[in-house]
Amino acid sequence: MSPTRTLLPLAALVALAFWMMAARNLPWPGWPMDPAVMSLDQIRMGYGLMPRGVIAWLAGAALGLSGAILQVVLRNPVADPTTLGISSGAQLALVLATIFAPGLLEGGRWPIAMTGGLAAAAIVLAIGAARAFAPVTMVIAGMLVGLTASAVATAVTLAQGQYLLSLVIWNGGSLVQQDWSGVCNLALVLTLAGLAAAGLARPLRVLSLGAEGAAGLGLNVAAMRLAAVVLAVWIAASVAAELGLIAFVGLAAPALARSLGARSIPALLVWSPVLGALILSLCDGLVLAVAGLGGETFPTGALTGLVGGPLLIWLLPRLRGWTPPGAERGEGPA
């Protein structure tokens, strides 16, 4: 991936420059950070802007890894937590729990988000299984499930005026932080997910031969698919529980990794999180730049949707070139 030698450092520098522009008027806090002796501006820096910058990298990396796993296991170049309705399912479950059963949130938002994401994924996979997980079928089913879940979540949010502002901001995928708890949570998720993905890399490589070819080599195809999908859903649901709906990062990162030369599955699983972190950090940097000019008027998730939508439109006509007819049955090229 020789182009990354110049592209990735440049993108990282641009993202850092955006963050530094937002932080230019705030003093750095001392160490160890103690809110009792810190000024208001130091608290804004130490417990607001600094964790926000870190969580953008962590969430982007997590979504990039989730999208890469889904694309590999489903042999679908436009699969990601957004196009398969996983993020919207997690969003709907959290909205319903917040409004109608807030007691369920005492154990944290992650179990609720995981339940919603798994339910959405189960519906999409059940529809896709009848058509051998054909890419277009999966995308259409995922988009319909996602649109339905988002519509219900929006209707419920608007019907409950007392929750309107906080839920709208959260649904949009805001990266605003008030402490380091979100960073710690996502760092743990990304570490565990990275280890699990490393363990799945070899079975996923066998699965890339097609269902029949992989089964002929002794791989339990159904169990492998289930494990990979559950891992991807867990990653995406963890991000949704922490930050809300952040769209299309999991789609853009693997696509960009392939365009930069990542052909093997291990390379895709390594570079997709790196590029996902850069994408989300750059998008959040743009939001911070706008906030510096006239106040933050939209969450970061809205900007990633603007980037991912055109990318999805560009990729859809190329599905046939990515997944040759018969490849899922082991008849086409790996």
Side-chain angles (χ1 to χ4, degrees):
M1 293 180 64
S2 58
T4 60
R5 295 178 181 178
T6 56
L7 176 62
L8 296 187
L10 178 60
L13 287 175
V14 172
L16 180 61
F18 279 132
W19 188 88
M20 292 298 294
M21 287 174 58
R24 64 186 183 277
N25 294 324
L26 295 177
W28 289 89
W31 185 262
M33 290 188 292
D34 183 4
V37 298
M38 294 165 61
S39 67
L40 179 59
D41 284 340
Q42 286 179 322
I43 292 175
R44 288 173 56 198
M45 169 64 86
Y47 291 93
L49 198 59
M50 289 173 64
R52 175 172 179 158
V54 175
I55 208 168
W57 290 88
L58 293 174
L63 291 173
L65 180 60
S66 178
I69 293 172
L70 288 171
Q71 291 183 17
V72 170
V73 74
L74 298 176
R75 300 173 62 84
N76 185 343
V78 293
D80 92 314
T82 305
T83 58
L84 296 185
I86 296 170
S87 296
S88 296
Q91 173 198 27
L92 175 60
L94 285 165
V95 168
L96 293 178
T98 300
I99 293 178
F100 297 112
L104 295 176
L105 298 174
E106 293 179 358
R109 289 180 293 186
W110 179 87
I112 306 299
M114 185 67 178
T115 301
L118 282 175
I123 295 172
V124 175
L125 290 174
I127 297 172
R131 299 291 299 275
F133 300 102
V136 175
T137 300
M138 295 293 291
V139 171
I140 292 175
M143 296 300 282
L144 289 175
V145 169
L147 287 172
T148 301
S150 295
V152 174
T154 301
V156 172
T157 300
L158 293 175
Q160 300 292 325
Q162 65 271 31
Y163 298 100
L164 182 59
L165 180 60
S166 61
L167 282 176
V168 166
I169 293 174
W170 177 83
N171 285 340
S174 176
L175 269 62
V176 175
Q177 299 294 297
Q178 297 179 344
D179 54 37
W180 288 87
S181 61
V183 170
C184 295
N185 293 337
L186 286 189
L188 178 61
V189 168
L190 186 59
T191 300
L192 296 177
L195 294 174
L200 291 176
R202 187 171 182 179
L204 287 174
R205 188 174 182 181
V206 176
L207 186 60
S208 68
L209 299 174
E212 292 183 5
L217 293 174
L219 181 69
N220 188 329
V221 175
M224 184 65 245
R225 278 180 174 153
L226 178 62
V229 169
V230 169
L231 175 60
V233 170
W234 176 65
I235 299 169
S238 299
V239 176
E242 198 64 49
L243 302 175
L245 184 59
I246 298 177
F248 295 117
V249 174
L251 170 67
L256 185 57
R258 287 190 180 94
S259 70
L260 292 174
R263 303 303 179 200
S264 67
I265 290 174
L268 188 66
L269 294 178
V270 168
W271 285 107
S272 293
V274 174
L275 292 168
L278 284 175
I279 291 169
L280 188 56
S281 184
L282 283 170
C283 288
D284 192 50
L286 288 174
V287 172
L288 289 173
V290 172
L293 294 176
E296 185 171 346
T297 57
F298 56 89
T300 304
L303 185 58
T304 62
L306 292 175
V307 173
L311 178 63
L312 179 61
I313 294 173
W314 180 78
L315 284 175
L316 277 175
R318 293 160 176 78
L319 277 179
R320 183 168 298 179
W322 283 76
T323 307
E328 182 56 40
R329 299 190 299 274
E331 299 170 0

